[in-house]
Amino acid sequence: MEENLLKSMDLKNTKKRQVILSILKEYNYAMTAEEIYEKTKPLLSMSVSTIYRALHTLSDKNIVIKSIRQDGKSYYQLQKYTHKHHLVCTVCQEVITIEHCPLEELEQKLAVQTGYQITGHSLEFFGICPNCTKK
Amino acid sequence: MEENLLKSMDLKNTKKRQVILSILKEYNYAMTAEEIYEKTKPLLSMSVSTIYRALHTLSDKNIVIKSIRQDGKSYYQLQKYTHKHHLVCTVCQEVITIEHCPLEELEQKLAVQTGYQITGHSLEFFGICPNCTKK
DNA sequence: GTATCTGCAAAAGATTTGCAGCAAG
DNA sequence: CTTGCTGCAAATCTTTTGCAGATAC
């Protein structure tokens, strides 16, 4: 479980980090520090700064990936579940996950053209979901 | 010039808004409010909040497009120059513009699959430029 | 034991807002 | 004139940080 993951990165195996990781695993979508905080509340007490610090450490170790969305907030998710992109409804904020990343080939092409060593990308689509279109 | 653009949107044609628009036009790349502020300094005095307010108004009218990058800051550019994406060097922050947007077809496909009315997307690549790779 | 975590409160950075005065139409 | 624009300072929101006490190993 989470214990080995932490140990393997020379991180101390604390209850709080375990809880954060298990929440990210359970819900399996990118969430904000605030959302994680809300979900930890019933389980144990933890300050928001601890969550930020843990997420920062975990993303340094590439266990967690941070990405900043168009709402200006940082979203965190487990590395192994990443590389999916999202389509976000700008009215109700519903999020649809796009399974296949369409950019891998393009990335290769770009690398050749520019001489850059490409390390990643961020991609997000916006729109209005069928439900909100009706209203 | 900028005058007609403002009038056509029922916005008052002020010197400050003209200056903001002309800077966006001259430099023709997405910049932050802070960068715009620096560039206005030699020209006339204007408070940062005026810049934010003007950019907000202009983006409501779709004259200016706002997008939030992975550094968490908001970047603004003229609508007619948008729809270009960027490759950003994570070491020296150099930015390369990608001329052709590879997502138009994909967007159509997505719209059909999901029933969303797709209004836009954000895409950014990261990497290390040839120069920084050497070091 | 000691290096690493954590809580708290304070600080930071980017952006927004209330209010009173100013300027464009 | 009067509606909308601007400056200033204060407020907001998210995230980071300093420090002192607590915990994992």
Side-chain angles (χ1 to χ4, degrees), chain A residues 88-94 96 127-134, chain B residues 114-117:
Chain A
V88 183
C89 175
T90 52
V91 180
C92 68
Q93 309 298 322
E94 179 191 70
I96 288 186
I128 304 174
C129 71
N131 223 11
C132 292
T133 305
K134 281 181 219 148
Chain B
T114 62
Y116 268 58
Q117 179 187 331

Side-chain angles (χ1 to χ4, degrees), chain A:
Chain A
M1 41 173 34
E2 284 78 26
E3 192 180 330
N4 304 317
L5 187 53
L6 290 168
K7 279 190 179 158
S8 71
M9 284 301 191
D10 286 316
L11 297 176
K12 283 193 175 167
N13 167 45
T14 68
K15 185 86 191 163
K16 314 212 164 184
R17 284 175 176 167
Q18 280 177 30
V19 167
I20 293 175
L21 288 174
S22 69
I23 288 172
L24 289 174
K25 196 176 193 176
E26 179 185 354
Y27 290 89
N28 185 15
Y29 63 81
M31 44 179 129
T32 63
E34 193 60 34
E35 285 177 85
I36 295 171
Y37 178 62
E38 289 305 322
K39 296 199 192 307
T40 61
K41 271 188 180 167
L43 302 173
L44 84 179
S45 111
M46 160 150 42
S47 77
V48 184
S49 52
T50 297
I51 295 181
Y52 277 109
R53 259 193 280 233
L55 290 170
H56 183 258
T57 306
L58 292 168
S59 84
D60 265 0
K61 299 286 186 182
N62 266 300
I63 295 171
V64 155
I65 302 292
K66 165 181 173 174
S67 60
I68 299 184
R69 296 230 181 120
Q70 291 304 304
D71 61 5
K73 293 185 191 165
S74 301
Y75 288 76
Y76 301 87
Q77 65 191 130
L78 287 186
Q79 191 280 326
K80 62 171 168 173
Y81 294 123
T82 56
H83 234 93
K84 294 191 178 164
H85 299 295
H86 297 109
L87 168 54
V88 183
C89 175
T90 52
V91 180
C92 68
Q93 309 298 322
E94 179 191 70
V95 176
I96 288 186
T97 302
I98 297 159
E99 293 297 325
H100 172 67
C101 168
L103 297 175
E104 259 125 51
E105 300 155 52
L106 182 67
E107 232 173 53
Q108 300 238 335
K109 242 191 276 177
L110 261 180
V112 174
Q113 281 171 17
T114 62
Y116 269 58
Q117 180 187 331
I118 297 187
T119 54
H121 58 250
S122 77
L123 169 61
E124 203 185 334
F125 291 92
F126 320 106
I128 304 174
C129 71
N131 223 11
C132 292
T133 305
K134 281 181 219 148
K135 291 171 196 166

